[in-house]
Amino acid sequence: MELSLNTTLMLVERLIAVAVILQTSEMFAIRESFSDDGVWSWSVLKDEFEFFPGPVRFFLDLTLAYPNFLVVLFLRILAASVALMLSHAVLVFTLLLTSVLVCLRWRGVFNGGSDYMTVVVLLALLLARLFPESHLVGLGCLLYIALQLLSSFFIAGVVKLKRVNWRSGRALGGFLCSGIYPVSPLLRAFAEKPALLACLSWSIILFEVLFPLSLLNQSICLLFIITALLFHVANVYMFGLNRFLFAWGAAYPALYYCSGVSWS
Amino acid sequence: MFEISLSSYLLLTLYLAAAAFLLFFRTRYVPGRAIYLFRVLFPSWRFFEDLCELPVLYHRVRAADGAFGPWRKSLSSDRRHLYKLLFNAEGNKLLAYQGLLQQVENDMQSVTEGSEAEFASSVSYRLLERLVRKQIPRSELPEGEGPVFFQFRLSSLMQGEAESSATEILISLEHEY
């Protein structure tokens, strides 16, 4: 399957728009938690930003206090909905700015990795949209997304490889039994089988460490992407990390495109 | 058939070199509140690096003239459902709560002897107090007139270990409900 540079950029843009729509819809659903009576009340949180200069504090007060923050979320979902049909730097900039504001509202990040990947994709897309005529900038942006994507697996794999708990399977057993979902008897039984855990641990480590091989060509890349998607679905089932599926899903077309470029 | 160019091999070698480098690389904590708040701009991909101690939150309540009831776990588990693949607002909120507990635990490491009272006015502590207040169900409140007080406790538990092995890291002041 051949994808042109522009088609790939458009695909990445549409997919990240879908991810942002889902993320923002979830945030609307938990709006009570950042209202004035909620856990993350701005009246408490704003003390965290006291060291910023006055104009920045004014801007943050204006955008992050409740109910103004709902307007930010509305703007975010509106920009993402339009980005499903149109490509424009202003739309991507709006998505990037509102994504950073959402992270600030939760003291840096709301959901860790998925926020990182969303911002990585939006930053690269913004640059590509600011220079729509430049093939080189477009290619650089896709390469940046692809390298961050490779790093996300590769670094996660290498740090696991260093840990004896991962190599023995003990870490995986511990993680499986400490998520946000209750541990079923079946899962508990699985977590108590060291040989199975070690086998699965090594599969995960090898998959993550070998992920850079996906750059070699598009057939290998497709194989890695399909495995990665299954890996994401397993993570949703085990740990409830659904936002990762969509944030990473938006980045895969960039990797696929880069794996097909002849770099010689 | 596979077509592998020389530069692809070079890329691969670069990655393997990075692997060797990372194996001897230690993470350094970069201080600074602004960097911390804007950390979304500096991605970290060290997912599920190793088993660690996870904070667990408990609370207990009492009537103005009574004794405290038993400690109860403040955060309950979520339930799996197929639709959560697309939309998992409650699950992500629970993960954010867990993040808050870890933040409190991290912040507590900078609390020195004698400055515990100061910690009670910190953003993390106040957020935690609000979280507990929201998590106490009406059914747990003592019957009758008069004010109700609550207290919370943060314990640290190694992932995968039994709850009985948890160690205490914070017992809060008493707060009026």
Side-chain angles (χ1 to χ4, degrees):
Chain A
M1 183 172 52
E2 283 296 318
L3 286 178
S4 71
L5 185 114
N6 282 334
T7 310
T8 309
L9 279 170
M10 196 187 71
L11 198 56
V12 171
E13 195 171 17
R14 303 292 186 261
L15 288 171
I16 200 66
V18 170
V20 169
I21 288 171
L22 291 172
Q23 290 171 10
T24 317
S25 309
E26 288 182 343
M27 211 140 275
F28 269 118
I30 59 163
R31 62 189 174 280
E32 194 274 334
S33 68
F34 55 83
S35 69
D36 291 339
D37 292 332
V39 176
W40 284 278
S41 161
W42 180 245
S43 64
V44 177
L45 270 176
K46 68 178 180 183
D47 290 356
E48 191 100 319
F49 301 86
E50 259 183 356
F51 65 93
F52 281 118
V56 178
R57 284 207 314 272
F58 175 77
F59 175 72
L60 294 176
D61 247 341
L62 192 70
T63 50
L64 303 186
Y66 193 85
N68 304 13
F69 187 59
L70 290 177
V71 179
V72 172
L73 292 182
F74 178 73
L75 201 65
R76 191 177 190 229
I77 213 163
L78 184 70
S81 306
V82 179
L84 284 177
M85 295 165 282
L86 285 175
S87 301
H88 201 282
V90 172
L91 291 172
V92 183
F93 176 74
T94 308
L95 292 178
L96 181 61
L97 178 68
T98 52
S99 297
V100 173
L101 284 173
V102 165
C103 288
L104 281 175
R105 190 64 176 74
W106 266 269
R107 309 172 86 194
V109 289
F110 174 68
N111 192 243
S114 68
D115 295 326
Y116 293 140
M117 189 54 88
T118 304
V119 168
V120 160
V121 171
L122 288 173
L123 264 174
L125 267 181
L126 178 62
L127 202 62
R129 290 302 174 219
L130 284 174
F131 301 94
E133 304 301 324
S134 171
H135 185 273
L136 194 65
V137 171
L139 180 61
C141 291
L142 288 181
L143 190 62
Y144 173 72
I145 296 173
L147 284 178
Q148 287 286 353
L149 184 62
L150 290 185
S151 305
S152 72
F153 283 100
F154 184 65
I155 292 175
V158 172
V159 295
K160 288 183 182 79
L161 192 60
K162 282 169 67 178
R163 304 290 176 177
V164 68
N165 277 336
W166 263 101
R167 296 196 300 269
S168 68
R170 186 170 169 261
L172 184 61
F175 288 125
L176 291 178
C177 294
S178 55
I180 56 168
Y181 298 123
V183 184
S184 67
L186 188 72
L187 188 62
R188 177 77 63 192
F190 175 76
E192 283 164 5
K193 291 197 174 11
L196 256 177
L197 282 176
C199 194
L200 192 56
S201 285
W202 275 102
S203 308
I204 293 171
I205 292 170
L206 286 176
F207 167 68
E208 290 187 332
V209 170
L210 295 178
F211 203 87
L213 291 176
S214 58
L215 257 193
L216 291 181
N217 74 36
Q218 289 190 322
S219 309
I220 298 176
C221 186
L222 208 55
L223 210 65
F224 271 101
I225 290 175
I226 292 167
T227 314
L229 287 172
L230 293 173
F231 183 61
H232 289 307
V233 172
N235 278 326
V236 179
Y237 179 77
M238 296 312 309
F239 307 112
L241 301 172
N242 67 320
R243 292 163 58 113
F244 281 66
L245 173 65
F246 298 97
W248 261 253
Y252 288 128
L255 178 67
Y256 183 75
Y257 179 84
C258 291
S259 69
V261 173
S262 172
W263 300 100
S264 48
Chain B
M1 281 280 96
F2 297 150
E3 275 180 41
I4 302 169
S5 66
L6 185 68
S7 47
S8 298
Y9 272 121
L10 188 68
L11 273 176
L12 189 60
T13 313
L14 273 175
Y15 259 101
L16 291 175
F21 176 69
L22 278 168
L23 279 168
F24 297 99
F25 187 73
R26 278 183 183 276
T27 323
R28 232 163 35 96
Y29 173 70
V30 183
R33 207 67 196 161
I35 290 177
Y36 174 76
L37 288 171
F38 285 100
R39 66 187 182 279
V40 73
L41 302 174
F42 312 98
S44 163
W45 306 122
R46 292 170 165 257
F47 302 128
F48 297 99
E49 186 170 354
D50 202 357
L51 292 174
C52 59
E53 302 260 347
L54 279 188
V56 188
L57 183 63
Y58 302 87
H59 66 263
R60 60 182 182 177
V61 292
R62 71 170 174 88
D65 54 353
F68 272 115
W71 289 107
R72 292 176 198 276
K73 238 179 167 173
S74 304
L75 299 178
S76 50
S77 304
D78 198 16
R79 294 179 69 182
R80 283 192 181 90
H81 206 287
L82 193 61
Y83 76 83
K84 291 187 175 177
L85 190 72
L86 274 180
F87 189 83
N88 191 14
E90 280 307 308
N92 281 311
K93 188 171 77 174
L94 208 52
L95 289 169
Y97 285 159
Q98 197 59 48
L100 172 59
L101 303 192
Q102 277 169 310
Q103 184 59 54
V104 174
E105 192 181 11
N106 288 345
D107 288 357
M108 280 195 64
Q109 285 167 10
S110 57
V111 176
T112 51
E113 214 173 299
S115 66
E116 291 89 348
E118 208 176 292
F119 181 66
S121 63
S122 70
V123 171
S124 289
Y125 183 95
R126 282 148 66 203
L127 291 177
L128 190 61
E129 187 230 311
R130 296 175 78 91
L131 170 60
V132 175
R133 201 179 280 277
K134 290 278 166 193
Q135 297 301 310
I136 300 174
R138 291 222 166 269
S139 59
E140 275 181 32
L141 298 177
E143 285 175 8
E145 295 291 308
V148 172
F149 294 88
F150 70 94
Q151 195 176 31
F152 53 91
R153 187 185 94 195
L154 210 52
S155 295
S156 190
L157 178 67
M158 179 58 85
Q159 285 176 303
E161 299 287 321
E163 241 173 83
S164 54
S165 65
T167 53
E168 201 171 274
I169 50 176
L170 165 78
I171 288 206
S172 77
L173 306 168
E174 286 188 30
H175 297 277
E176 191 173 341
Y177 183 75

